[in-house]
Amino acid sequence: MNNFIVPIDFSETSKNAARYAAHISTLVPDAHLILYNVFDTLEYGSDSSPLGTEGAEDASRKAIVELALESVRSELSAITNARISVVAEENNNFLDTLEEYVKKNNIQLIIMGLTGATRLGQVFMGSNALNIVKRAIAPVIITPENTHSTSAKNVLLLTDFQDIESTIPIDTVKEVLNLFHPRLFVVNVDHEHYVQVTEEYKAERTKLEDRLKDFNPEFFFIRLFDFVEATNQFVADNHIDLILTFPRKHSWLSNVFKTTSTSKLAYHSHVPIAAINV
C-alpha cells in the first residue's frame, strides 16, 4: 500500500493540500491517505488542573480533533475512492512527532501546504513544511496556497546536470514516478544563457537518460537569465502538474525554498513542488 500523509491544521491551505492528495491518489490503485493532526499537550497549574481549558480532558480534546478530521475525510471521499484514515496525536513538538510517525508507518509521500490562511497557519504550514523538507525523512510535496493542480500526469524534473549520480537520488525519483507513470520533462534552465551546451552537459544528460529510460524522458535546455520566469513559462506551455526539485548544498537549487528566485517559484506557483533530498 502507498501511504500519503497530509498534516492538517484546518487552515484552508492545509485542506487544499488534502484535496490535491485526494486527486493524485486516484492515479494510484493502492493509495492510502492519512489526515494527520498534532494537538498541543495540556499544561497544568500548581493545583494540577489544566491551564486555560476549564477542566477539559485529553480524551475529549482528541475526540474534537478527530471529529474535525472526519469532516475533512467526508469531503475528500467525494474526490477519491482511496482509503482515508484520520490520526490525531498529542504532543508539543509537531516536527518530531510527524517524523516518528512517518518512519514507523512506511510513508511514501508527505503532502503539505506552504502557507496558511491565517497568520498562525502561515507559521505552522509554512515553516513546518520547509523544516520537514530539511529533515529528509520522505519526499515532500509542497502545495502552494492557490494551487489549481489536480493531477501528476505531467512532471517537470529540474536539474543543473552537474554530477547527476550524486545530486539526484535516482531510486527515490523512480519510486515517485512509478506512483503516477507521468509524462516526464527534464529541464535545465541555465542562468548563464550565453553558455553553449558543453560536452560535460551532454555526458550527464546521457547518464540521466539511461537511468530514467523506463519513463521516456524528454530533455530541454532553456537559456534564460530569469530562473523563475523560465520555469513558470515552461510549466504553463506544457501543462505541468508537478515539479521535482532536489535541495542540496552549494547548488543553484540549494535552499530551494529560501533563495530569492526559487522562493518566488515556491510561493507564487500554482503548481505543487516535490522536494526530494539527496
Side-chain angles (χ1 to χ4, degrees), residues 137-176:
I137 54 177
V140 181
I141 293 181
I142 301 293
T143 61
E145 188 170 16
N146 297 313
T147 186
H148 302 308
S149 180
T150 58
S151 185
K153 295 301 293 181
N154 291 325
V155 171
L156 165 60
L157 187 156
L158 286 173
T159 175
D160 56 8
F161 285 100
Q162 295 183 11
D163 190 14
I164 63 106
E165 291 180 327
S166 63
T167 58
I168 298 180
I170 293 295
D171 289 343
T172 306
V173 169
K174 288 181 178 180
E175 290 173 2
V176 172

Side-chain angles (χ1 to χ4, degrees), residues 65-224:
V65 173
E66 289 176 338
L67 184 62
L69 289 172
E70 287 289 350
S71 177
V72 179
R73 173 160 67 175
S74 177
E75 177 188 346
L76 300 187
S77 295
I79 299 174
T80 180
N81 291 322
R83 175 188 171 196
I84 306 174
S85 300
V86 300
V87 176
E89 296 195 285
E90 181 183 10
N91 197 295
N92 287 328
N93 192 313
F94 166 78
L95 294 172
D96 288 347
T97 308
L98 174 60
E99 179 172 351
E100 182 178 4
Y101 188 92
V102 167
K103 289 180 176 178
K104 287 183 177 179
N105 290 277
N106 188 33
I107 301 299
Q108 277 67 51
L109 287 176
I110 303 169
I111 303 171
M112 298 184 69
L114 185 58
T115 60
T118 64
R119 184 174 180 82
L120 178 62
Q122 290 173 1
V123 172
F124 181 89
M125 297 306 289
S127 61
N128 278 330
L130 306 188
N131 284 325
I132 284 297
V133 169
K134 291 179 185 178
R135 293 196 179 202
I137 54 177
V140 181
I141 293 181
I142 301 293
T143 61
E145 188 170 16
N146 297 313
T147 186
H148 302 308
S149 180
T150 58
S151 185
K153 295 301 293 181
N154 291 325
V155 171
L156 165 60
L157 187 156
L158 286 173
T159 175
D160 56 8
F161 285 100
Q162 295 183 11
D163 190 14
I164 63 106
E165 291 180 327
S166 63
T167 58
I168 298 180
I170 293 295
D171 289 343
T172 306
V173 169
K174 288 181 178 180
E175 290 173 2
V176 172
L177 295 176
N178 277 325
L179 292 172
F180 308 119
H181 304 285
R183 181 180 179 186
L184 179 60
F185 301 79
V186 179
V187 173
N188 170 230
V189 180
D190 195 323
H191 68 284
E192 295 180 344
H193 57 286
Y194 54 86
V195 175
Q196 297 296 316
V197 175
T198 64
E199 291 303 316
E200 290 80 3
Y201 166 89
K202 293 178 182 177
E204 292 299 311
R205 168 181 164 159
T206 298
K207 290 180 186 177
L208 189 57
E209 188 171 21
D210 179 65
R211 285 157 179 75
L212 295 176
K213 60 185 178 183
D214 292 342
F215 304 97
N216 300 313
E218 302 171 51
F219 287 82
F220 300 84
F221 185 85
I222 303 176
R223 298 176 193 163
L224 287 178

Side-chain angles (χ1 to χ4, degrees), residues 233-251:
Q233 189 61 55
F234 190 93
V235 165
D237 291 344
N238 294 278
H239 308 288
I240 299 299
D241 301 308
L242 179 67
I243 301 172
L244 303 186
T245 61
F246 312 99
R248 65 182 190 274
K249 296 179 180 178
H250 311 302
S251 160

